[in-house]
């Protein structure tokens, strides 16, 4: 197996460029912050960016946990990749990861300065410092379940093919981990309620929300609500529309995953104004 190290200080843009580096050098897999990536899929490991402290994140990235390391070793035996790119902040770190995962010695080393300009590196450092953003080099759908509420944003990576022509080479996701020095954040149930109320108030056939309950869990939120509907509407299609629009808007505005959204049509009201206008 060909093992390549990709080295640079934290926040200089390694994860951002790892997909491009792997594509340019025909490398099959990427090890980045505790996960093994093959193509556009995470095939083993747990992201260090899920850890609650910086120390725990470093330990996760170095595979100090035996179960974590053994999972990766089994994945390498199962998939038997011809090459792997190991991301690390120093030569010592990528060497330690290779040794811990029982991989061959590193035969090639790529440094962030080899693939990024000084201006690009400073820009990446500024983004990390001021916004706390971290990149995971996989599409959002691969990590969304595990990063509920972590400011998920999709990024697409293009390569220039010619003048005015670009080729899509991969997708990445942006998160702001809980160990970020910017601190934790929470979204109150009332804020969720306000979003849901705004969405439902713009759906014809819904009169009001009569009961609302939201529960926050590590994997997302559970919502229960009762609605008062307008007499004459088609109840089942209307509830499905409400369910779809509420889920879409809450996830878009908060990056929280909705794991369950239970809606009950509790009662009906007659819109006398509408009937009068019809007559």
């Amino acid at each position: 197996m060909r093992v390549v190290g990709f080295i640079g200080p934290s926040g200089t843009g390694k994860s951002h460029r790892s997909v491009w580096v792997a594509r340019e050098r025909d490398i099959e897999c990427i090890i980045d912050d505790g996960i093994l990536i093959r193509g556009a899929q995470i095939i083993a490991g747990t992201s260090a960016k899920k850890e609650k402290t910086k120390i725990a994140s470093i330990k996760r990235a170095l595979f100090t946990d035996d179960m974590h390391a053994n999972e990766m070793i089994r994945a390498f035996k199962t998939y038997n990749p011809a090459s792997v790119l190991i991301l690390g902040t120093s030569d010592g770190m990528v060497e330690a990861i290779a040794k811990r995962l029982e991989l061959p010695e590193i035969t090639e080393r790529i440094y962030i300065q080899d693939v990024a300009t000084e201006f690009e590196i400073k820009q990446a450092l500024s983004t990390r410092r001021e916004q706390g953003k971290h990149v995971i080099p996989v599409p959002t759908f691969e990590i969304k379940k595990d990063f509920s509420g972590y400011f998920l944003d999709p990024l697409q990576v293009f390569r220039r093919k010619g003048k005015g022509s670009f080729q899509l080479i991969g997708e990445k996701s942006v998160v702001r981990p809980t160990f970020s020095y910017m601190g934790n954040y929470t979204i109150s149930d009332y804020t969720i309620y306000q979003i849901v109320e705004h969405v439902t108030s713009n759906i014809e056939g819904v009169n009001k929300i009569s009961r609302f309950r939201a529960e926050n869990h590590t994997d997302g939120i559970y919502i229960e609500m009762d609605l008062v509907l307008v007499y004459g509407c088609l109840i089942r299609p209307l509830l499905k529309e409400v369910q779809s629009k509420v889920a879409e808007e809450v996830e878009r505005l908060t990056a929280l995953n909705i794991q369950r959204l239970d809606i009950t049509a509790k009662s009906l009201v007659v819109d006398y104004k509408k009937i009068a206008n019809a007559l």
Side-chain angles (χ1 to χ4, degrees):
M1 183 193 299
R2 174 176 157 234
V3 182
V4 181
F6 187 22
I7 301 152
S10 180
T12 51
K14 296 186 302 299
S15 295
H16 179 67
R17 287 173 171 76
S18 60
V19 174
W20 177 81
V21 169
R23 181 68 64 92
E24 290 294 305
R25 287 164 173 77
D26 195 27
I27 298 172
E28 189 175 344
C29 291
I30 297 171
I31 296 176
D32 180 24
D33 269 352
I35 55 177
L36 179 61
I37 301 160
R38 182 171 178 260
Q41 288 186 311
I42 296 173
I43 59 174
T46 303
S47 176
K49 292 177 174 60
K50 286 183 63 181
E51 299 297 335
K52 294 182 179 179
T53 67
K54 189 70 174 177
I55 296 298
S57 171
I58 293 169
K59 287 182 176 180
R60 177 66 64 181
L62 288 170
F63 301 96
T64 57
D65 179 75
D66 288 339
M67 288 182 63
H68 188 202
N70 290 334
E71 179 190 352
M72 297 287 283
I73 291 169
R74 288 194 298 271
F76 275 108
K77 289 179 180 177
T78 300
Y79 291 94
N80 193 27
S83 52
V84 61
L85 181 72
I86 303 177
L87 276 63
T89 58
S90 65
D91 290 86
M93 181 176 178
V94 294
E95 289 168 2
I97 291 172
K99 184 177 180 181
R100 178 67 172 152
L101 300 182
E102 301 177 3
L103 298 174
E105 289 188 7
I106 295 170
T107 56
E108 182 184 352
R109 297 168 197 265
I110 303 164
Y111 296 91
I112 190 66
Q113 295 88 347
D114 300 333
V115 296
T117 65
E118 185 178 349
F119 172 77
E120 289 171 331
I121 292 172
K122 286 182 178 178
Q123 198 173 40
L125 285 167
S126 176
T127 300
R128 173 69 61 86
R129 183 174 58 252
E130 295 172 9
Q131 301 177 35
K133 288 184 176 180
H134 294 238
V135 169
I136 300 177
V138 291
T140 299
F141 69 82
E142 269 289 296
I143 64 167
K144 192 173 189 301
K145 178 177 68 68
D146 296 325
F147 282 85
S148 180
Y150 282 29
F151 292 120
L152 283 168
D153 270 323
L155 284 177
Q156 292 187 326
V157 187
F158 293 90
R159 176 173 57 187
R160 186 183 291 276
K161 293 181 68 179
K163 188 175 181 180
S165 177
F166 295 88
Q167 177 187 13
L168 177 66
I169 64 170
E171 293 183 50
K172 297 173 293 189
S173 302
V174 178
V175 301
R176 210 212 76 190
T178 54
F179 64 74
S180 168
Y181 61 88
M182 297 180 74
N184 294 338
Y185 77 98
T186 57
I187 299 175
S188 73
D189 293 347
Y190 184 62
T191 300
I192 302 296
Y193 169 74
Q194 287 181 308
I195 294 170
V196 174
E197 185 182 41
H198 175 73
V199 173
T200 56
S201 67
N202 288 296
I203 298 177
E204 187 176 354
V206 177
N207 179 263
K208 66 178 180 178
I209 299 172
S210 60
R211 185 183 70 90
F212 181 87
R213 182 166 176 257
E215 290 183 6
N216 272 291
H217 297 265
T218 54
D219 60 341
I221 57 174
Y222 295 71
I223 295 175
E224 294 178 7
M225 63 177 174
D226 296 343
L227 298 180
V228 176
L229 304 181
V230 176
Y231 179 79
C233 66
L234 297 176
I235 295 176
R236 286 178 64 88
L238 178 58
L239 293 183
K240 286 183 179 180
E241 181 187 357
V242 172
Q243 202 171 38
S244 174
K245 289 185 176 179
V246 166
E248 180 183 349
E249 198 67 3
V250 169
E251 292 191 353
R252 184 182 72 83
L253 293 174
T254 68
L256 292 168
N257 301 324
I258 294 184
Q259 294 298 332
R260 193 179 73 208
L261 177 51
D262 295 335
I263 304 175
T264 303
K266 200 66 176 178
S267 60
L268 299 172
V269 295
V270 177
D271 189 345
Y272 290 104
K273 185 182 292 187
K274 187 175 181 180
I275 293 174
N277 290 335
L279 296 174

